[in-house]
Amino acid sequence: MPASYPSVRPWRLAGEAAAALAVGMGIGRFVFTPILPLMQAQAGMSPRLGAGLATANYVGYLIGALAAIVMPALIRSRLVLRGSLLVLIGTLALMPITTSGGHWVVLRLVAGIASAMVFVIAVSGLLTSPAKHLIGWAFGGIGAGIALSGAAVLLLRTTGSWRAAWWSAAALSVALTIPAWQLRVPHQGSNDETRRRPGGRWFAALVTSYSLEGVGYIVAGTFLVAAINQTVDGRAGAGAWVLVGLAAVPSTALWATLSRTWSRPTLLFAALLVQAVGIALPAIAGGVSSALVSATLFGATFLGIGSLALAIGAHLQIPRAVAILTTGYSIGQILGPLAVAPLLHNGYHQALLIGSGVVALAAVAAGVLRHRFPHHLGPLPSRVHLKEIQA
């Protein structure tokens, strides 16, 4: 066990990281999805402004990820982690104070920067700790944050307002920040900082796949609830988002467990194909059943894809792999809403089909990654044989 973690139990580290990811990602980034229909109905927000707020958040996320690459000392600072958590809570609490689109854009931009810092620090810290094998469980915190905040918004649909929804998200974030406060950060000289690059040739395919996933998944991550609400009762859309979170909680642990048996690149390829189907479903088959299946498939894959991709990056021993992959992902997230914005005046179904197609392209890139993958750089999955490594 590394000296910087002298007496810390792995499950405690994973729990602290899960709480941080619940705040930074599950709530700080994704609570906008179920609140979006409320703001359109009660605050007069237009679809274009909604897309603009989503884009501002993703631009902020990109800024934070780039900062982690340029200034790696940031991801080794507990002060930065704690400050980012507090800033994120503040942006959530301030959203209901104003009805100015410009102010909303600034708040979501700042929230994106803080989310990226929390994500990169938490994941990098865990991947360089004795709890790195529990990364799938930590990612489940994002699903828990989505489910908790989504359930709060669902309860407020009839008894509260869009303002109360944002304040409830801030309150949940305060509660989850308490266990996240003591999270360990990456230490100097960790594997993420090593200068060895034995897996560089595969890393390019990984970055391509993960960046395309950022483009495709975020279309569903932003507009899935609104798209479902176009064809079924409004509660179904909010309920579907809660289901996304509930499906996501165990999914990351499941994908991590499967990676002990199957090759991670193969699992990444499979997860991307399943997600492409899930994103397209509400656009090609209306009704509650289609919405629920779509939510389940999306929830069961989008965090698993993230945990698999980041684990592959660590396996390939690329310096600052988490920050680099997060940067590519965030660039994709910026391009996604911008690409589909001209289509939103006709509804959200065309946007979902485009998102599904891009995720399918990400699966193609993941298929390239599978070719002669260097499994020998890490623990060998039980169904991967030596002859496959030497092929």
Side-chain angles (χ1 to χ4, degrees):
M1 183 175 292
S4 54
Y5 299 92
S7 61
V8 180
R9 296 179 180 178
W11 280 105
R12 177 180 172 181
L13 287 170
E16 292 170 347
L21 292 174
V23 177
M25 301 293 290
I27 301 174
R29 297 202 65 211
F30 292 116
V31 75
F32 179 62
T33 299
I35 296 179
L36 174 60
L38 281 177
M39 296 184 74
Q40 289 175 331
Q42 298 176 8
M45 175 183 287
S46 68
R48 285 188 176 274
L49 178 55
L53 294 186
T55 300
N57 188 250
Y58 308 145
V59 169
Y61 197 75
L62 173 61
I63 293 171
L66 287 172
I69 295 176
V70 176
M71 297 177 286
L74 291 176
I75 65 174
R76 296 192 296 269
S77 170
R78 181 176 284 180
L79 179 63
V80 172
L81 172 66
R82 291 175 172 178
S84 297
L85 289 168
L86 294 178
V87 167
L88 201 51
I89 292 170
T91 63
L92 294 171
L94 289 173
M95 281 293 289
I97 301 298
T98 179
T99 56
S100 165
H103 292 163
W104 284 339
V105 166
V106 172
L107 287 171
R108 294 309 290 162
L109 176 73
V110 173
I113 297 172
S115 290
M117 292 278 64
V118 171
F119 180 81
V120 173
I121 293 172
V123 174
S124 298
L126 199 65
L127 286 174
T128 58
S129 79
K132 61 183 177 181
H133 62 289
L134 299 175
I135 184 67
W137 291 95
F139 263 71
I142 303 176
I146 290 173
L148 288 171
S149 58
V153 174
L154 180 60
L155 291 174
L156 290 168
R157 286 189 65 86
T158 55
T159 61
S161 66
W162 67 273
R163 288 185 170 91
W166 282 108
W167 282 323
S168 69
L172 279 173
S173 297
V174 170
L176 288 165
T177 293
I178 295 173
W181 198 250
Q182 297 300 326
L183 177 65
R184 274 69 177 172
V185 299
H187 57 284
Q188 183 72 34
S190 69
N191 289 337
D192 197 47
E193 295 296 316
T194 179
R195 295 188 179 278
R196 296 176 58 210
R197 302 172 186 263
R201 58 178 288 194
W202 292 273
F203 193 65
L206 178 63
V207 171
T208 300
S209 178
Y210 199 48
S211 299
L212 288 171
E213 159 68 358
V215 175
Y217 115 92
I218 202 58
V219 174
T222 303
F223 302 119
L224 182 64
V225 173
I228 292 172
N229 285 346
Q230 285 187 320
T231 56
V232 295
D233 176 74
R235 292 186 180 182
W241 190 248
V242 175
L243 185 58
V244 167
L246 292 175
V249 172
S251 70
T252 49
L254 174 62
W255 289 108
T257 300
L258 290 174
S259 68
R260 299 175 187 172
T261 304
W262 303 94
S263 164
R264 282 196 184 102
T266 297
L267 292 174
L268 180 63
F269 174 76
L272 287 164
L273 288 181
V274 171
Q275 186 184 94
V277 172
I279 292 175
L281 266 179
I284 61 180
V288 175
S289 297
S290 175
L292 296 180
V293 172
S294 171
T296 301
L297 294 179
F298 183 70
T301 54
F302 88 99
L303 293 183
I305 289 168
S307 62
L308 286 169
L310 295 175
I312 292 171
H315 175 95
L316 294 174
Q317 302 176 19
I318 301 298
R320 294 188 289 280
V322 173
I324 294 170
L325 286 166
T326 301
T327 298
Y329 195 68
S330 60
I331 291 173
Q333 291 178 129
I334 294 170
L335 296 177
L338 290 176
V340 302
L343 305 174
L344 297 181
H345 65 278
N346 292 324
Y348 297 97
H349 288 174
Q350 287 180 297
L352 291 184
L353 290 175
I354 291 175
S356 174
V358 175
V359 172
L361 289 177
V364 173
V368 174
L369 177 67
R370 297 172 62 214
H371 182 62
R372 296 185 178 181
F373 185 76
H375 293 286
H376 63 282
L377 295 179
L380 192 66
S382 62
R383 287 187 178 269
V384 176
H385 303 292
L386 183 60
K387 63 181 180 180
E388 297 179 44
I389 298 174
Q390 297 174 336

